[in-house]
Amino acid sequence: MAVFGRRKKGADAAKDAATSEEVEPTTPADDASTDIDDLDDFDLDEPSAEDDEAARRRRSKLRPREEVDLSDGPYDSASAPTRDEMDFGSLRLVPTADIELRLDVDETSQTLTGMTAVFGEAGTSAVQLQVFAAPKTTGVWYGIRREIAEAIVAGGGTAEEVDGPLGTELRVRMPSQGPDGRTTFSPARFVGVDGPRWFLRAVLSGDAATDDDAAARAMEFVRTVVVHRGSDPRAPRELLELALPPELMAQAQASAQEHEQHTDAPTVGPLERGPEITETR
């Protein structure tokens, strides 16, 4: 079907800005041990003196979902239009000739943790997608963007909340050390969508973080995404699984074996109906 690459830690800086390693919204132990339905019963007013510390932390990260019009996407699988899609489990995508899709892989568990779409001339723009579980009636984007902003500012960067086409988004400048030892800053835009029992996070980097036309193309892609939450009970912020379509699994295994025999990785192709899966390091 489509040609894909596996993007791992150590990719070029423009695409590193879209990875989850830098500001991964981790799940606190108290969140992970709390049932989603229990969270829906929390009063969202200020915590009382009787609340324990865990309840205070949970409540501080929950707000009613922002009223965002999702009629033009991103879609929930229960109400998505019928289209020719590629099914990756919790995410379903429409094939697009001008986008190269790379899979984000956890090197320890070898599981798929997200997808990064690269587009533009010479692949100068990227948008990473990850999808998480969320409560039924409350949103998690409010708490997640606060944590991201705090982490970036604490590291010497900047973060600003702005109104975007999909609600409140976070525009940041992430600090890193350049080859000469000087601090450099990579711009990025964090977009969050609280859907029905799911949360979709998109991170725009490269030209898409600063150029209006590139950002518009990235958001157009994000709006085509379909999220399939599934019915299994999950803790808030638990990463929803991604999986290769069955027809691509054999190609992925063959490609991985071939890669082990070559030092130079093959070129990754666009997101279209094409030859085989390739792996890049």
Side-chain angles (χ1 to χ4, degrees), residues 38-48 51 55 59-60 62:
D38 294 338
L39 289 172
D40 292 333
D41 296 332
F42 283 164
D43 180 4
L44 295 180
D45 294 334
E46 289 301 313
S48 66
D51 288 335
R59 189 183 309 198
S60 71
L62 295 173

Side-chain angles (χ1 to χ4, degrees), residues 1-277:
M1 292 182 63
V3 181
F4 297 93
R6 299 173 65 188
R7 194 170 65 82
K8 298 185 179 182
K9 191 173 182 181
D12 58 87
K15 300 177 184 64
D16 270 350
T19 63
S20 60
E21 290 94 344
E22 301 234 26
V23 285
E24 181 69 33
T26 56
T27 304
D30 54 275
D31 283 353
S33 62
T34 304
D35 184 77
I36 291 175
D37 293 332
D38 294 338
L39 289 172
D40 292 333
D41 296 332
F42 283 164
D43 180 4
L44 295 180
D45 294 334
E46 289 301 313
S48 66
E50 289 76 19
D51 288 335
D52 60 24
E53 183 179 355
R56 286 171 180 266
R57 288 200 300 269
R58 287 194 296 268
R59 189 183 309 198
S60 71
K61 298 171 185 175
L62 295 173
R63 291 291 187 277
R65 292 200 302 265
E66 290 188 32
E67 294 298 325
V68 178
D69 182 9
L70 301 182
S71 60
D72 292 328
Y75 303 98
D76 182 76
S77 58
S79 56
T82 301
R83 304 169 302 175
D84 182 18
E85 297 171 346
M86 305 181 69
D87 187 350
F88 289 86
S90 59
L91 288 177
R92 299 173 184 175
L93 309 176
V94 177
T96 306
D98 66 333
I99 287 180
E100 174 186 288
L101 188 66
R102 300 180 179 181
L103 306 181
D104 300 328
V105 182
D106 183 292
E107 296 190 22
T108 301
S109 63
Q110 289 298 299
T111 57
L112 304 183
T113 60
M115 298 179 176
T116 299
V118 181
F119 58 96
E121 294 184 8
T124 53
S125 292
V127 53
Q128 186 209 42
L129 299 176
Q130 288 185 301
V131 61
F132 305 83
K136 293 178 182 177
T137 59
T138 55
V140 299
W141 176 220
Y142 173 83
I144 287 176
R145 69 175 181 258
R146 284 178 58 191
E147 293 169 15
I148 294 173
E150 289 170 1
I152 290 175
V153 171
T158 63
E160 177 186 13
E161 287 190 353
V162 299
D163 291 330
L166 287 175
T168 305
E169 62 182 58
L170 193 65
R171 299 189 182 183
V172 306
R173 295 171 68 244
M174 296 190 291
S176 61
Q177 190 173 36
D180 59 357
R182 296 183 180 181
T183 300
T184 61
F185 294 90
S186 299
R189 290 172 58 174
F190 287 81
V191 178
V193 179
D194 283 311
R197 300 181 68 223
W198 51 260
F199 167 70
L200 177 68
R201 192 186 76 173
V203 187
L204 282 61
S205 61
D207 289 348
T210 57
D211 179 79
D212 289 342
D213 290 340
R217 178 65 188 98
M219 296 304 294
E220 180 183 349
F221 170 73
V222 172
R223 283 189 177 276
T224 67
V225 171
V226 175
V227 177
H228 180 65
R229 163 62 174 78
S231 58
D232 294 341
R234 297 182 181 278
R237 304 191 188 196
E238 181 179 348
L239 191 66
L240 300 184
E241 296 93 345
L242 296 173
L244 286 176
E247 60 270 27
L248 296 183
M249 186 62 71
Q251 296 179 28
Q253 294 172 346
S255 176
Q257 293 175 357
E258 179 182 354
H259 178 78
E260 294 298 328
Q261 302 173 3
H262 298 82
T263 56
D264 295 327
T267 302
V268 181
L271 176 55
E272 60 183 352
R273 306 292 178 179
E276 62 178 275
I277 300 172

